[in-house]
Structure formats: structure tokens, C-alpha cells
Amino acid sequence: MKLNRLLITASLAALLTACGKDAKITLETAKVERGDISESVTATGTVESVTQVDVGTQVTGIIEKLYADYNSVVKKGELIAEIEKTLLESDLKSANANMESARLTYEYNKTNYNRDKALHDKQLISDYEYQTSLKEYEVSKTAYDKACADRVRAAKNLNYAEIYSPIDGVVISREVEVGQTVVSNMNVANLYVIADLDNMQVVGDVDEADIGRVKLGQSVVFTVDAYPDDKFEGKVTQVRLNPTTESNVVTYEVIVAAPNPDHKLIPGLTANLIIYVTREDDITVVPNEALRFTPRDFPDDGNMPVAETAPQPANGEKLLWIVEGERLVPKVVHTGVTNGINTQVISGVNPGETVATGYNISAAIPAPADDNGDERSPFAPQPPGRKKK
């Protein structure tokens, strides 16, 4: 710091000596103002819906009716499709009949078992007859339990023939047509894709050089090509640590939540994001030059304000020089965020005060005169016939 001051003083002295009496020194100042400070990171991303559901069927059959199409607005629990039910209803009837038959057999064998057990306890029948009765009773009970389970499955499959919307949203894709057969094997056969367009998100790709400054809760402004004049706002809700490398460029995914009450944002749009890593509105700010200003003495210029003795700032504190008439008054201030041009002042000065930012030294250097008394630069071409001096 001392070396820098010596260099600055030497430079000023050299400039003043070179300029001579024609040098003019003025103090540059600025006002302490209320303003905004922001610093941002740019990225590109893709608009997605926060909730998107593939709606399918768990039973095999023919599509009989479709109650929703592309762009249909549906509510949770709304009927959107039906599968032909003839075979499913037959399966349920068959399951009911099997369950009833198994019930009758079970009750008959249970009655026999209870009678044989009482006789066996009195030693009126053999062990073989008792064990045979017990076996028939247990087998019929198992068969009845299985028939009940089959009936539940058949009833559930019949219910699956009616497809209901699982969420409130908009149909963004329809995968089937009426009359088409859907086959449910290991995977559920998809009929629709429904998205909640009220709550969207943008998956942005942030460069590795900027990802360290992106934090949860930071505000984001973005645009999409579909609406170039509109600006959408959001918040950073997630910073994913899994890197993606493409053409030796490393990026990280940042999730931005974006409310979408007008449904202008739709899945797949490309978004251009501005992530505000620093954003403070309506704060007290000063130019950064004011924080770097150091008073100098100019004995030959009596119009310059005289600097008072400056206190020694503590760690984290800085000095501002306030212009008060013919004086430069030092004030210790606490600073906040900065964007490289202006800095927030938390305490120490008030808006409206004038701070010194630097010195402006100008000089008028006369050009040499020609024979007629006109001033001419010695480096300008001479007229014909003029002798060089």
C-alpha cells in the first residue's frame, strides 16, 4: 500500500511538473444514492411440468370410448376412457360362481368335520375316518379362500376397464385410438400423458465456472422464444451435483420453479435464464472509486478541499471521504454486496451526501508558432520553401 501511494504521488508530481502552471486540478465527486445492485449468471434450459403422469391400463382389452383428447383439461377422478367390458364381466361372473361353489363345499365339509370330531372324541369312529374328514375340511377351506381371492381380482380388473384421471391437468399426449387393442403384460399400456401446467419448472444447464455462485432461493428471470416480449419469473429450488460433459464443456443442472397461471409455458420450450446470484433493491450505494479514493496535497492549488485526519478502519471497514465545503471529512463505513461498479453501504453515510472519487488533472500545452505568429505543431509538415529551424 505504501509503495502504491509513493508511485501515485510521484506520478502526480511528474505530471504537474510537465504541465507547469497551465495544469488544472479538479476534484471528482459523486452522490450517495439509493439504488439497486445485481449480479447474474446466464444459462439455457428446457421447460418441463413439475407433475407429469403416464396414464395406462392394467387389463387387456379393446378401447371402447375415449372421453379426452389432446389439450383436454381434466380433473382428478374424471372418467377419460373405457375398455370393452364383456370379457371382464364374464370373468367376474365366473369368479362369483366358483366362489359360491367353494363356499358350499367348505360349509358342507366343515359340518362333517365338526360331527366326526365329536364322534372321535367319544371313540365312536376310527382315527382314519377322523383324519379323512379333517383333510377334506382343510382342503375345502383353502379352495374357498382361493375362490374369494379370484373374485376380488376379477372385480378389480372390471374396475380397471374405466380409466380415470389421476391428477388435475392437461392432456399433452394421446397414445391410442378407439377400437385399438391394448395388451397388459409386464408393463402398463399407456393411453394418455397428463401434465399439470399450473406449476412448471425449467431445467437449466449452468457452466462449471458459474455453478459455485448459484444457491437455493435465488430469483430467476427467463424468456422463451414463443413469447419474446414476455418475461417469466421463478426461484432456484434445486442444484443438482451430477455433471454433464459435452464437447469438453462441463455443465450442471439447476431446477427453477416457475408458476404458470396463464398456461403460456408448455413442456419442451427452450428458456434463456438470468439467475441473479446477487440482487438487492433500494439500498444505499456508492461508486467503487469512492472506496479507493485517497486525498492528496496540492500546495499550489488553494481551491482544493483540505483533508482531515483519517481514523484507522478496523477489519471489514472502509473509508469514504465526504465533501463538506472546503473540507474532506473521512467516515468509516460498513459495506455489503457489490457488482464491481457500485457497492452497498450498510452504515456510515446517508443518501444525498457527496463523496470524493478521484482527481482530474488537465493541462493546456501550447503549440510552437510559425513565422506569422500562428501556432504550429513541430511535427506538422512544413510549407514549401520554409527552412527548418
Side-chain angles (χ1 to χ4, degrees), residues 303-316:
N303 296 324
M304 297 296 295
V306 179
E308 296 184 355
T309 303
Q312 185 65 31
N315 290 335

Side-chain angles (χ1 to χ4, degrees), residues 43 134 186 195 198 210 252 314:
L134 174 61
M186 296 298 294
D198 290 331
D210 299 322
Y252 293 83

Side-chain angles (χ1 to χ4, degrees), residues 55-68:
V55 182
T57 175
Q58 291 183 275
V59 294
T60 298
I62 298 174
I63 299 296
E64 185 174 39
K65 295 179 180 178
L66 293 174
Y67 299 105

Side-chain angles (χ1 to χ4, degrees), residues 239-295:
V239 179
R240 295 178 178 174
L241 304 182
N242 185 33
T244 301
T245 304
E246 185 174 350
S247 301
N248 293 326
V249 177
V250 180
T251 59
Y252 293 83
E253 289 186 347
V254 173
I255 308 302
V256 177
N260 187 34
D262 297 332
H263 289 184
K264 287 186 175 181
L265 298 176
I266 56 178
L269 292 179
T270 299
N272 301 306
L273 299 98
I274 301 176
I275 304 172
Y276 288 99
V277 296
T278 300
R279 189 171 187 178
E280 297 290 342
D281 299 329
D282 193 26
I283 57 176
T284 302
V285 296
V286 295
N288 285 0
E289 293 88 344
L291 297 170
R292 297 192 294 264
F293 174 79
T294 302

Side-chain angles (χ1 to χ4, degrees), residues 367-384:
D370 59 11
D371 294 341
N372 297 325
D374 298 332
E375 293 183 352
R376 180 178 296 276
S377 171
F379 303 102
Q382 300 292 331

Side-chain angles (χ1 to χ4, degrees), residues 6 12 17 46 69-70 86 125 140 143 147 149 166 211 228 277 294 316 362 369 385:
L6 290 175
L12 289 172
T17 301
T46 304
D69 204 346
Y70 288 96
T86 302
I125 61 174
S140 62
I211 193 63
V277 296
T294 302
S362 59

